[in-house]
Amino acid sequence: MGTSTTLDRQRTRPGHRQYLPLVQGATLIEWTGTGLFLAVSTIYFVKVAHLSTSSVGTGLTIGGAVAVAAAVPIARLAGRFGPKPVLIGVMLLRALATVGYLWVDGWWSFLLVVAVIAVTEQSSPPLVQSYVGARAPESLRAKVMAVQRTVVNLGISLGGLIAGVALGSGAPGAFRPLLIGGAVAYVAVAAVYATARREEEEAATAVGSARVADLLKDRRLLGFTAYNALVSLWMPVLNVAFPLWLVTETDVPERYVGILYAVNTVLCIALQYPLNRCYGTTRRAWFSYAAAALLLSCGALAFAAAPGLGAREALLVLGAAVVLLTFAELLQVGASWTLSFDLAPEQARSAYLVLFNTSRTVANRVAGPVLMTGVVLALGTAGWIALAGVLLLGALVPFVLLRSAATTGG
């Protein structure tokens, strides 16, 4: 009788293998669409929309700030309706905004479109994570998310390759099909989730409403969000500080920026899933955060050392720094899945994850670029050493928290 009941449950409840194709298929479509425009967006803004680089940087920073502010209403919607309908709405809005780039004719229209894009880009990952949390067993969530992020990197790479081929002619008109293709991809993602099977829909929307005011009073949530922003500084280091530092302060040829980015991408694709064992439990996830902060600190010191070396030696040191940043990225991202799932109560998971994800936006779009250009790069070697010191202190935080939990029995 017991065996029969177990078999019935296995038949009626979709398993992990049945679940993967939906999320990973949608993820591949979404991030291929994102990759179509991601690598060439700055070129489009400057050469086609005729904006200055400073105005583009300012607009992107303001857009990031708007996205952080929009997290509260998005969290309220996700808490009330569940992740799936909000995710569908976000994808459709993202499609409209992507097409809106074609009509950008000045800074204000650029700012409007960039703000909407920032809001939707920030909202999508936590809503997908919440969907996974409602659908996958706790023991498999880290594995599902590791596969999901591998697919993210594959999608970005595929989209970037398509964009490179499309822009080979150098004609401004080549941007139009890329933007339209991205918009079509987001509509397709919305359709994938909208047509999910009934049982998936029921499982993924089985979350209760949450008062955002209560979330904003949750000191654990706010503290963890701030700490995650610190360890997420690998993003502006990799995307802002690293290429500028290589070009302006070393004798390494510019072409190696793209090669070292490719090293980062290949390692992420190859190692994200194998490393899921490092952060599969709460304790391991905290240790992964400590390791990520330590690796970032070492990477900052490597960047600091590069200018005093010859071209070949500097390239090797910069390559080592990128590898250190990549492993920090893999551990930080993976650990954030485990700990954010642990932190978020089931009845308010979507809202918690949406608010928590603002830490990535702060690090990548708001504070991070300003910190890199206005402090680290402005101070040069001293700036990198100071950043390394802050991150080294950050590596101690998990040990303090684990010792405190052991002392209190929590």
Side-chain angles (χ1 to χ4, degrees), residues 277-297:
R277 295 181 180 180
C278 295
Y279 44 75
T281 66
T282 300
R283 188 174 182 84
R284 288 181 181 178
W286 277 119
F287 285 142
S288 291
Y289 262 108
L294 180 60
L295 290 169
L296 285 174
S297 180

Side-chain angles (χ1 to χ4, degrees), residues 15-78:
H16 174 59
R17 294 182 182 275
Q18 293 174 274
Y19 169 66
L20 276 174
L22 173 71
V23 173
Q24 311 312 349
T27 296
L28 182 61
I29 296 170
E30 175 186 353
W31 289 94
T32 299
T34 300
L36 288 175
F37 189 62
L38 186 64
V40 297
S41 57
T42 303
I43 300 173
Y44 177 83
F45 298 145
V46 173
K47 291 191 174 181
V48 179
H50 305 296
L51 299 169
S52 67
T53 54
S54 60
S55 64
V56 170
T58 302
L60 292 173
T61 299
I62 295 174
V66 170
V68 172
V72 171
I74 294 292
R76 184 179 291 116
L77 289 172

Side-chain angles (χ1 to χ4, degrees), residues 256-276:
Y256 284 102
V257 171
I259 293 173
L260 292 177
Y261 269 126
V263 170
N264 168 263
T265 302
V266 170
L267 287 176
C268 285
I269 292 172
L271 297 178
Q272 187 72 76
Y273 183 79
L275 285 177
N276 77 83

Side-chain angles (χ1 to χ4, degrees), residues 295-315:
L295 290 169
L296 285 174
S297 180
C298 294
L301 293 176
F303 282 122
L309 304 173
R312 181 178 298 177
E313 292 78 10
L315 175 60

Side-chain angles (χ1 to χ4, degrees), residues 180-206:
I180 294 174
V184 170
Y186 301 138
V187 172
V189 173
V192 169
Y193 282 108
T195 56
R197 292 197 303 266
R198 179 71 178 176
E199 59 267 30
E200 290 179 343
E201 179 178 352
E202 290 173 353
T205 55

